[in-house]
Amino acid sequence: NSTLPQVLQDAQVSYDVTQALHNVLLKEDGLSVPAHIVGPSSVASQAYHGGIMLLERVLTKTKRDGVAREVVADLQKLYKHLGEHDIVLQLVKDISSEERAQQAVQAELRGDYGAAVKMYEELFDLEEIGQLAPTALETEIWQENRTVCLRNLCMWDVLAQEIQQYVAEDLSLIHI
C-alpha cells in the first residue's frame, strides 16, 4: 500500500497503469491513496473517470471541511477535462460563494478566455485592497484557471513573466 501513492505520483505513468490502480483501489476497501495524489495523477494520465470515482468515494467518507473542499477542487478539474460544464459550475459553487468567481469560470467554459482573465484579475485586485477574503484554495483555483486562460489565448510573454516572478519568490523551486 505504501508504494501505490508513489506509483500514482509518477507523472510518466500511463493511462492503462493508472486506470488499473484505480480499479484495484475501488475494489479493495483496505487500500487507499491520499486524495491529493488522485486528482493530479488522474489528470496527468488522462484517467479521468477512475479518478472521479475515487475522489467521490473520498468525499462521501470525509468529515473535514478543508479536505472536502480540496477534493471538490480536484473533482472540478477532472470534470472540466471531460467537458461536463454543468457539474463543474456546481462544484465551483460548492468551493466558492463569490459570484464573480463563478462568472469567470462560466466565461472560461464557454471559451471567452479574455473575459475570464479580466474577471480573475478583478478578483485578485479586490483581494489585494481587502474587499474580498478568499481562502487559499480559492486563490489557487483562480490562479490556475487564469493561467489556463492565458495559455489558451497564447499570451506567452505574460506567462513567462509570471513564471519568472514565481521562481524568483521561491528559489527552492529550481532543481539542478
Side-chain angles (χ1 to χ4, degrees):
N1 190 24
S2 63
T3 58
L4 284 176
Q6 186 59 45
V7 172
L8 278 176
Q9 272 186 308
D10 183 357
Q12 302 303 314
V13 172
S14 72
Y15 168 84
D16 294 328
V17 172
T18 302
Q19 192 60 45
L21 289 171
H22 286 169
N23 288 337
V24 168
L25 290 165
L26 287 166
K27 290 178 182 168
E28 300 294 329
D29 284 334
L31 295 176
S32 65
V33 171
H36 70 275
I37 293 174
V38 174
S41 68
S42 299
V43 169
S45 65
Q46 298 181 356
Y48 309 123
H49 295 92
I52 287 168
M53 291 171 62
L54 283 171
L55 289 174
E56 286 183 351
R57 184 197 307 180
V58 169
L59 199 56
T60 61
K61 291 182 178 182
T62 189
K63 302 284 189 256
R64 298 180 314 195
D65 189 47
V67 171
R69 288 171 60 92
E70 289 178 17
V71 170
V72 169
D74 282 339
L75 274 171
Q76 69 95 20
K77 291 175 193 172
L78 293 171
Y79 278 115
K80 188 185 286 186
H81 282 282
L82 292 175
E84 297 287 350
H85 296 171
D86 291 340
I87 296 171
V88 171
L89 291 172
Q90 185 55 52
L91 292 171
V92 167
K93 289 178 184 177
D94 291 346
I95 297 168
S96 175
S97 61
E98 178 54 49
E99 189 166 325
R100 287 171 280 211
Q102 295 167 15
Q103 291 170 348
V105 171
Q106 287 174 337
E108 178 186 354
L109 292 175
R110 70 175 177 266
D112 192 352
Y113 303 117
V117 166
K118 184 178 178 188
M119 286 184 237
Y120 287 123
E121 289 173 353
E122 289 171 3
L123 289 165
F124 289 123
D125 290 345
L126 291 171
E127 177 190 23
E128 192 172 310
I129 62 174
Q131 290 187 1
L132 277 181
T135 65
L137 179 62
E138 287 174 292
T139 304
E140 180 183 328
I141 291 169
W142 298 347
Q143 186 58 46
E144 284 179 21
N145 290 350
R146 181 179 170 277
T147 299
V148 168
C149 291
L150 289 170
R151 188 179 70 222
N152 286 328
L153 290 167
C154 299
M155 297 184 76
W156 308 120
D157 292 341
V158 175
L159 287 168
Q161 288 173 346
E162 289 186 9
I163 290 169
Q164 289 172 344
Q165 181 182 2
Y166 184 69
V167 170
E169 290 173 5
D170 188 355
L171 294 177
S172 69
L173 295 171
I174 301 174
H175 300 284
I176 299 176

